[in-house]
Amino acid sequence: MPSLQLSLSISPLTDPTLSPQPKPQSLLLVPHTPLRPKHLLCCLFATAKNAIIVEDQNAVVNGRVGADTGVPAEEDLLLPAGLQKEFMPKHVAVIMDGNRRWARMRGLPVVLGYEAGIRALRRVMGLCCKWGIIRVLTVFAFSSDNWFRPKVEVDFLMRLFGRGLKDELENFVRKNIRISVIGDSSKLPKPLQELIMAATETTKNNSGLHLIVAVNYSGQRDIVQACQSIALKAKDGLIEPEDINEFLIEQELDTRCAAFPHPDLLIRTSGELRVSNFLLWQLAYTELFFTQSHWPEFGESEFLEALHSFQQRQRRYGGKNT
């Protein structure tokens, strides 16, 4: 088949009232393999960052093979054996428990357990991006009750979170990962608050995996603040009491930032059998999976075990068996 080259001139999406306007970008697309009819470029859309979406994942875009959008193309999805795409959860929540116990069992300082926990989170994020079906990953990083732990440990956790945000931000951008932080951030150190704002702003338009990190979070407080917000609207005459329903409450919860606010699957590590004040409203119909593995040792095999268990369950939402 003869070689085909396409030269494209692409203008970023801009505000016509701004001046000067950015210049159009010229791209040369050279198919890495012969183009099939279904792959005759469905793309041609550029964001302000000139990100290109190309259906042919083997196209050479400005000298680079493939377009890393963070979401694999349909034909590129490689789920492990035994998993069915149509039964994969869209939203997975994780209580990352057992970092301290993992370290103490090995005679290590507690701080090394938390650092190992960061590596475990990277593994799980990588698997979610690789499989491309899980759209939201929510992790419980710091409970509002964790302030009662030793100050030296809390201070280390705050520094670790800030360092993790700095270290991972470039990866988030490259992998098209969006990050959101839920919980009462007003009590966090000011430098950490600024890092959170910068990371969420930088990634807010990313369309791949949505990572939601719960920091200084309480499920009870989440419901209370939602009720307070609704009460103020009722007081100001913006809504009537009879207007208040489940949908209205959900619009005020911290998870309103997610396209899929209700987790399909909750995983808790380290053998504990409780939800510990995490996403109390959102977990109403969530499937629960508990594992004896401590969070730092949680990897692909443990994740697959949870997903296989999830796919064997019937989700009836109060209805009858189908």
Side-chain angles (χ1 to χ4, degrees):
M1 180 177 293
S3 175
L4 172 65
Q5 296 187 5
L6 295 175
S7 180
L8 306 177
S9 178
I10 297 178
S11 298
L13 296 179
T14 60
D15 185 342
T17 64
L18 297 179
S19 180
Q21 293 291 322
K23 296 180 180 179
Q25 300 292 313
S26 295
L27 271 77
L28 177 66
L29 273 72
V30 183
H32 189 62
T33 57
L35 286 174
R36 292 167 287 173
K38 63 174 283 191
H39 280 165
L40 281 177
L41 300 178
C42 74
C43 66
L44 313 198
F45 180 91
T47 68
K49 295 182 180 179
N50 296 328
I52 307 301
I53 301 173
V54 183
E55 184 176 330
D56 187 351
Q57 296 294 309
N58 290 322
V60 178
V61 182
N62 280 353
R64 185 169 64 88
V65 177
D68 189 359
T69 66
V71 183
E74 190 74 14
E75 63 268 29
D76 293 335
L77 292 175
L78 296 175
L79 288 178
L83 289 182
Q84 301 179 64
K85 181 184 68 175
E86 60 270 26
F87 297 124
M88 286 286 285
K90 294 292 186 184
H91 184 169
V92 174
V94 184
I95 299 177
M96 305 181 294
D97 198 12
N99 295 305
R100 297 191 299 176
R101 273 166 282 180
W102 179 88
R104 287 167 178 162
M105 287 172 60
R106 288 159 176 76
L108 300 173
V110 167
V111 295
L112 294 185
Y114 288 120
E115 290 182 345
I118 292 291
R119 293 192 292 273
L121 177 56
R122 290 194 187 105
R123 287 195 298 270
V124 171
M125 287 170 49
L127 291 169
C128 291
C129 292
K130 174 183 175 181
W131 297 332
I133 302 295
I134 297 169
R135 308 297 299 128
V136 183
L137 175 66
T138 300
V139 295
F140 204 2
F142 190 85
S143 166
S144 59
D145 296 322
N146 291 151
W147 293 109
F148 295 105
R149 291 186 176 182
K151 185 177 185 300
V152 63
E153 182 178 337
V154 171
D155 289 345
F156 172 80
L157 287 172
M158 295 296 114
R159 292 194 301 271
L160 181 64
F161 185 33
R163 190 172 78 231
L165 276 179
K166 284 183 179 178
D167 293 345
E168 290 298 318
L169 185 55
E170 183 178 339
N171 184 53
F172 291 157
V173 173
R174 184 174 64 255
K175 294 292 186 181
N176 198 24
I177 296 172
R178 175 188 172 194
I179 183 169
S180 298
V181 177
I182 61 174
D184 184 5
S185 61
S186 67
K187 292 183 171 59
L188 302 179
K190 189 67 175 178
L192 180 55
Q193 293 183 41
E194 294 172 353
L195 279 173
I196 290 171
M197 291 177 61
T200 54
E201 179 66 21
T202 300
T203 65
K204 66 180 182 180
N205 294 321
N206 289 355
S207 58
L209 176 69
H210 188 181
L211 173 66
I212 301 177
V213 184
V215 182
N216 193 28
Y217 178 84
S218 159
Q220 293 174 332
R221 186 210 68 88
D222 196 5
I223 297 172
V224 168
Q225 65 84 24
C227 293
Q228 290 172 336
S229 178
I230 293 171
L232 286 174
K233 291 179 180 179
K235 180 182 177 182
D236 293 339
L238 299 176
I239 59 173
E240 296 295 330
E242 56 268 22
D243 296 330
I244 300 173
N245 54 27
E246 293 91 338
F247 177 78
L248 193 59
I249 293 174
E250 288 176 358
Q251 297 307 301
E252 301 293 339
L253 295 173
D254 284 351
T255 47
R256 63 185 179 275
C257 63
F260 302 94
H262 302 117
D264 301 296
L265 172 65
L266 170 72
I267 300 171
R268 178 161 189 161
T269 56
S270 202
E272 302 293 349
L273 306 178
R274 54 181 179 268
V275 297
S276 294
N277 199 16
F278 183 46
L279 301 177
L280 297 181
W281 177 283
Q282 297 88 337
L283 294 178
Y285 289 101
T286 299
E287 298 294 328
L288 310 180
F289 181 85
F290 301 99
T291 175
Q292 293 296 322
S293 300
H294 299 305
W295 176 244
E297 57 199 17
F298 192 89
E300 183 170 3
S301 61
E302 290 80 12
F303 201 5
L304 288 176
E305 182 184 3
L307 293 173
H308 281 297
S309 175
F310 174 80
Q311 294 202 343
Q312 293 168 3
R313 305 181 189 185
Q314 285 190 334
R315 306 192 71 196
R316 296 185 294 273
Y317 302 97
K320 297 180 179 179
N321 291 336
T322 56

